[in-house]
Amino acid sequence: MVLKRSGKYRVLKWTGGILALLILLALGGALYLNARWKPLLTKKIKDSVYEGSKHLYRINFQDIRLNLLTGTAVLDSVSLSPDTVVFNKLKSLRRAPVHLFQLKLKKLQLNRISVMTAYFKKRIEMNSILLNQPSINMIRYQVPKKTDTAKDERTLYQLISKTLRSVHVKSIKIVDADFDYVNGRTLKPLNSVKHLSVNVKDLLIDSLSQFDSTRVYYTRDIAFVLSGYRSLGKDKMYTMKIDTIAGSVAEKTIRVKGFQLIPMYPDLAFSRKYTYGKDRYDLNFDEISLKGVDFMKLNDEGSFYARSLKIGPAKAGIFVNRELPPPPNFDKVRNFPHVAVHRIPVPAIIDSVIIRNVDVAYTEYNPISEKRGTVYFQNLTGRITNLTNDSSRLAKNNHAIASLSALLMKTSRINVRINFNLTDKNAAFHYRGSVGPMNMLVLNPMAKNMGLVEIEKGEMQKTDFDIRANSKGSSGTVHFYYTDLKIKLLSEAEDGKVPKKKGFLSFLANTLLIKNNNPDKGEAPRIARTTFTRTPAASFFNELWKGVFIGIRETVGLGAIPVKTPEQAMKKVNDKLKKKN
């Protein structure tokens, strides 16, 4: 029994010794290989980046830590920077990229990398690359492109094939990055975001993938998510909040959820922070989504294309304080939709803008009545086609068409079609539409406070309009069908009191001016030929509704009374404020 036990002990002892020796040899070998392969791998990484980018980029790092047993490599204090000399040379040849990238991070981790395969077989294979909390600058330049046939048409694989046979990374993750989009001319950020994460799936660069149309930039997909974005505007008058922005290059989508533009002060307090009149916006969009986005075109040419932009459900509040004058020498035509689109900093094409379930409340404060009047458009729905500032698209089609429908003042359906001329020097547009039946008493919250007119009774059967307009004014026709209209004129409010009825003037208006019906019994319907002369202070919305409003006034018999321009209305406001003071 003693001999048997002694034999077993010797076997275990020898086995343990052999295992210990093997472990020591493995560790020693790993340390030796680590020391030997470390400079080789360092050179291989730097050469691959330099050659793969056609000498445009260099990667540097302080140290590389290898674990050959687990196939892990960690690079410390990493920086990726463009070579400005190479970039300027490419610019002179008109072959420079639109965007340059700068990257800095404390640690770059490569998992399950096969060093032997990389060295002996010239194949880079690894499970994942992890960039944790990097700082990324994406710098945009205006660079002309050369159109001759001397352009280098080689693929990325062909460019690196002398150094590597293939590169395969199953996953590349950028976690919680700080990202700045920078103007290359001024080097000032155009936009800055934090908490950006990017996930690159299955990067494969080899002889087959270079022609694989199912891949984007040699990957199965590049997806990104930005969470919890919040920023205070430069003038500290708004806070912008976004729950998430998510996108996928393979799916060609961008989706924004929970976008809010929040004013920092109540309506009157907000407007009185400014010397001149400035609209106040309160926006809350549940979702904004883009489909058919051409990310490659954006990266390669710096131009934006999307098949569709969908907006809604959403709520939008717009407030205007009429006690404040417009900015001097400022023409609001620059904010007309088809003029403003030309201020987008990049060439842009959106084939179709789809609007669904958007509620809009437009409110004006009238310092004469000292009250607010609000126009409500509920469930605004419709489509805008060919929204663009791209010169090549405009040469083919220079019209954007908006077809919109909404519930006006919560009771009557309004339909309007607006044809925008995107290249006309006078910002021409043509709009036509109709408003359905309405008990006109629902207009009193707006009419009393904004116009010092109260509708006592009246039924509208229908309103049709067809008007051509531009930066100078508008003209067209309005058909306003109604019955049994009676109004009363109101006095100006004093110290916030309720305006009183001007009894005698109301009687004269109803007796001598107001035509109670259209058509009158036994007569043909009256058609109003409307003309409106626009002044620089008139906004797009102002010109839009003034064309219809003037036609309604003509039809009911108030055409002889001139309509005040914004400048004339402002003079009356100033006169009243002087009297109060």
Side-chain angles (χ1 to χ4, degrees), residues 324-368:
L324 295 172
N329 304 316
F330 180 79
D331 192 337
K332 287 188 176 181
V333 72
R334 74 186 303 270
N335 291 329
F336 280 24
H338 53 313
V339 176
V341 71
H342 290 281
R343 295 203 302 275
I344 297 174
V346 299
I349 300 171
I350 302 176
D351 287 341
S352 185
V353 180
I354 303 163
I355 301 169
R356 291 286 182 269
N357 192 22
V358 177
D359 293 340
V360 180
Y362 175 83
T363 301
E364 284 190 8
Y365 175 75
N366 183 352
I368 303 298

Side-chain angles (χ1 to χ4, degrees), residues 261-284:
L261 187 65
I262 306 168
M264 299 300 291
Y265 302 94
D267 51 13
L268 279 177
F270 180 98
S271 62
R272 288 168 179 168
K273 293 284 183 181
Y274 295 96
T275 304
Y276 301 104
K278 194 174 183 70
D279 296 353
R280 174 186 180 272
Y281 297 93
D282 190 346
L283 308 179
N284 191 336

Side-chain angles (χ1 to χ4, degrees), residues 165-427:
R165 292 178 182 174
S166 69
V167 177
H168 187 203
V169 185
K170 293 180 180 178
S171 174
I172 303 173
K173 291 186 178 181
I174 301 173
V175 180
D176 200 19
D178 289 346
F179 178 85
D180 290 320
Y181 191 49
V182 180
N183 185 321
R185 183 175 58 84
T186 63
L187 296 182
K188 292 182 178 180
L190 296 170
N191 206 342
S192 299
V193 298
K194 295 183 182 294
H195 310 302
L196 173 68
S197 295
V198 179
N199 187 12
V200 179
K201 296 180 180 179
D202 194 33
L203 172 68
L204 177 61
I205 305 172
D206 63 12
S207 59
L208 296 177
S209 67
Q210 62 181 325
F211 304 116
D212 188 346
S213 60
T214 66
R215 290 179 174 270
V216 288
Y217 296 115
Y218 293 89
T219 75
R220 289 297 180 193
D221 191 16
I222 303 171
F224 60 89
V225 177
L226 172 65
S227 301
Y229 178 76
R230 184 187 182 101
S231 70
L232 186 65
K234 290 183 179 179
D235 60 359
K236 298 182 180 179
M237 297 297 285
Y238 288 100
T239 294
M240 181 190 294
K241 294 173 62 178
I242 301 175
D243 291 342
T244 60
I245 302 175
S248 166
V249 176
E251 296 177 2
K252 299 184 177 182
T253 59
I254 300 174
R255 178 171 292 176
V256 180
K257 288 192 175 183
F259 169 83
Q260 296 181 70
L261 187 65
I262 306 168
M264 299 300 291
Y265 302 94
D267 51 13
L268 279 177
F270 180 98
S271 62
R272 288 168 179 168
K273 293 284 183 181
Y274 295 96
T275 304
Y276 301 104
K278 194 174 183 70
D279 296 353
R280 174 186 180 272
Y281 297 93
D282 190 346
L283 308 179
N284 191 336
F285 290 75
D286 289 357
E287 186 168 333
I288 303 169
S289 60
L290 288 150
K291 293 184 178 180
V293 179
D294 193 334
F295 288 96
M296 292 186 179
K297 192 178 186 71
L298 179 62
N299 181 64
D300 296 341
E301 302 175 14
S303 58
F304 180 83
Y305 170 80
R307 187 177 67 253
S308 69
L309 165 63
K310 185 177 179 182
I311 301 172
K315 295 183 184 298
I318 307 164
F319 176 79
V320 179
N321 183 356
R322 290 300 179 196
E323 72 183 3
L324 295 172
N329 304 316
F330 180 79
D331 192 337
K332 287 188 176 181
V333 72
R334 74 186 303 270
N335 291 329
F336 280 24
H338 53 313
V339 176
V341 71
H342 290 281
R343 295 203 302 275
I344 297 174
V346 299
I349 300 171
I350 302 176
D351 287 341
S352 185
V353 180
I354 303 163
I355 301 169
R356 291 286 182 269
N357 192 22
V358 177
D359 293 340
V360 180
Y362 175 83
T363 301
E364 284 190 8
Y365 175 75
N366 183 352
I368 303 298
S369 65
E370 300 181 8
K371 300 287 185 182
R372 296 167 179 80
T374 302
V375 183
Y376 295 99
F377 298 91
Q378 288 185 307
N379 193 24
L380 177 64
T381 300
R383 184 182 295 266
I384 305 170
T385 58
N386 195 43
L387 186 65
T388 182
N389 64 357
D390 182 80
S391 57
S392 59
R393 171 63 74 90
L394 290 171
K396 298 175 183 177
N397 181 5
N398 66 336
H399 287 266
I401 308 296
S403 299
L404 306 171
S405 177
L407 199 61
L408 175 63
M409 300 303 286
K410 306 179 182 180
T411 61
S412 179
R413 177 64 58 183
I414 179 171
N415 297 292
V416 62
R417 183 181 187 273
I418 310 173
N419 185 331
F420 296 99
N421 188 322
L422 298 171
T423 56
D424 185 78
K425 64 180 182 179
N426 291 321

